[in-house]
Amino acid sequence: MKAAERAYALTRTPEAATVLAGAYLGNNRAEEALALVRPLVALGGPAVEYIYAQALQALGRLEELAAFWTAKLAAGVLDEKEADNLLFAMLGNKSYAAVLPYLKDRAETRGGEWLFGYAEAARALGGEALEGLLAFLDREVERADIDDGAREQRLFMMMEASRPAAVATLARLADRAPSRWWPLAADNLRQLNRSDELARFLEGLIGRQDMGRAEREAMAYALIDAGGAARALPVIARLADDIGGAWDAVYRENLVKLGRIDDLRAYMSLRAARPDLPAEDRRAL
């Protein structure tokens, strides 16, 4: 470093300043390195720019660093890999406002890991940035060229950003393909403690013809948890009538708990009169 200092003292050239700045940086003297290279940044050059960026990083002057890197990105002088590396570095520095437009563009055009970067920045910034992310994810789940795994990934990203915002999106998907999406939609409402809304959601789906037996049973248990036995009783009654077995026992048990003894007697009489009643259910009467 002494040689670099002597050379700079004698010549005062940009080249000598760059060499000395590099020596300062290598010896943890970032402030002195920055003072030497800052006037040279306008002249450009990879060595100057590297030392300048490293000195700013070491000193924690991240706003100035973000401004410098953003100018590089806007100038269009970087290839794709160089630009990507800058964006990852800016994301690592939490320079969210500066990096957001670039992350959004890459998330829209390239997807993959850029989805997560965009989501991180938008969540951190909130406000319009978060609204933009939620609108983007709502469009993403409608894409015909992604599979349900990728769709679910985007739904989880939406819920992480805003569970309330995901309610309408999940309800729309569950209405279109209930078997695939009702559990996720129900869990989101459960996490939000929206028990009445959850019960209404389940009541609207459980009677549909495109719901299989196992799904109806699972939804009935979810409805009991969300709305209580009294609210779920009509659903339990249908299952007891259609399936019998355990649901017959559940229905009778809940009639007793609710003090509806007359209804219980009437139900048992009607059930006993059924000629197609399985022997196991008849023995349980």
Side-chain angles (χ1 to χ4, degrees):
M1 190 166 63
K2 292 294 185 183
E5 288 176 329
R6 285 195 297 272
Y8 177 66
L10 288 171
T11 64
R12 297 282 175 169
T13 63
E15 293 78 12
T18 303
V19 171
L20 180 56
Y24 282 152
L25 187 65
N27 282 273
N28 300 315
R29 294 166 63 174
E31 193 75 61
E32 292 160 284
L34 183 61
L36 280 171
V37 295
R38 183 180 272 132
L40 306 178
V41 172
L43 300 176
V48 168
E49 292 179 353
Y50 174 81
I51 295 168
Y52 177 61
Q54 290 298 307
L56 289 173
Q57 184 77 46
L59 294 167
R61 299 183 185 179
L62 302 182
E63 288 187 15
E64 184 178 348
L65 179 56
F68 171 63
W69 280 343
T70 301
K72 294 283 290 182
L73 290 165
V77 296
L78 304 174
D79 63 30
E80 185 177 273
K81 184 176 181 180
E82 290 170 331
D84 288 353
N85 288 338
L86 275 192
L87 291 173
F88 282 126
M90 293 171 75
L91 189 60
N93 284 343
K94 303 186 187 307
S95 300
Y96 295 128
V99 80
L100 183 72
Y102 299 97
L103 295 175
K104 182 176 184 292
D105 177 71
R106 280 162 170 74
E108 290 175 343
T109 58
R110 292 162 59 183
E113 60 193 341
W114 297 108
L115 289 171
F116 297 97
Y118 174 39
E120 177 187 334
R123 288 198 311 268
L125 290 169
E128 291 184 3
L130 181 59
E131 291 175 8
L133 170 67
L134 294 170
F136 165 71
L137 291 171
D138 188 64
R139 294 192 302 272
E140 281 284 295
V141 300
E142 296 294 343
R143 285 175 52 180
D145 61 336
I146 62 173
D147 60 21
D148 277 350
R151 210 177 316 280
E152 188 172 53
Q153 179 191 65
R154 286 153 174 78
L155 287 167
F156 277 115
M157 292 173 70
M158 180 179 272
M159 288 187 288
E160 186 177 2
S162 172
R163 282 191 178 275
V167 169
T169 303
L170 285 163
R172 188 174 71 240
L173 292 176
D175 182 65
R176 191 180 307 155
S179 298
R180 178 64 179 85
W181 299 113
W182 83 262
L184 194 59
D187 184 64
N188 189 52
L189 289 169
R190 192 178 299 112
Q191 294 294 333
L192 290 167
N193 294 316
R194 296 187 183 180
S195 297
D196 185 64
E197 189 173 352
L198 171 57
R200 282 188 277 110
F201 167 74
L202 294 168
E203 287 166 341
L205 287 180
I206 199 166
R208 285 178 47 158
Q209 295 301 310
D210 52 355
M211 299 297 292
R213 171 178 165 174
E215 292 155 345
R216 290 171 62 209
E217 291 187 89
M219 292 178 78
Y221 283 119
L223 180 57
I224 293 169
D225 289 340
R231 182 164 186 169
L233 204 60
V235 170
I236 300 172
R238 287 199 298 273
L239 291 173
D241 188 56
D242 294 345
I243 300 172
W247 287 106
D248 170 60
V250 170
Y251 183 52
R252 288 190 284 116
E253 189 178 297
N254 279 286
L255 286 173
V256 171
K257 285 181 180 178
L258 294 168
R260 296 171 60 168
I261 304 304
D262 289 343
D263 289 339
L264 175 61
R265 291 195 184 102
Y267 166 74
M268 292 180 71
S269 296
L270 287 171
R271 195 156 179 76
R274 284 181 55 172
D276 61 339
L277 189 69
E280 182 180 347
D281 287 1
R282 191 173 299 281
R283 284 195 297 271
L285 291 172

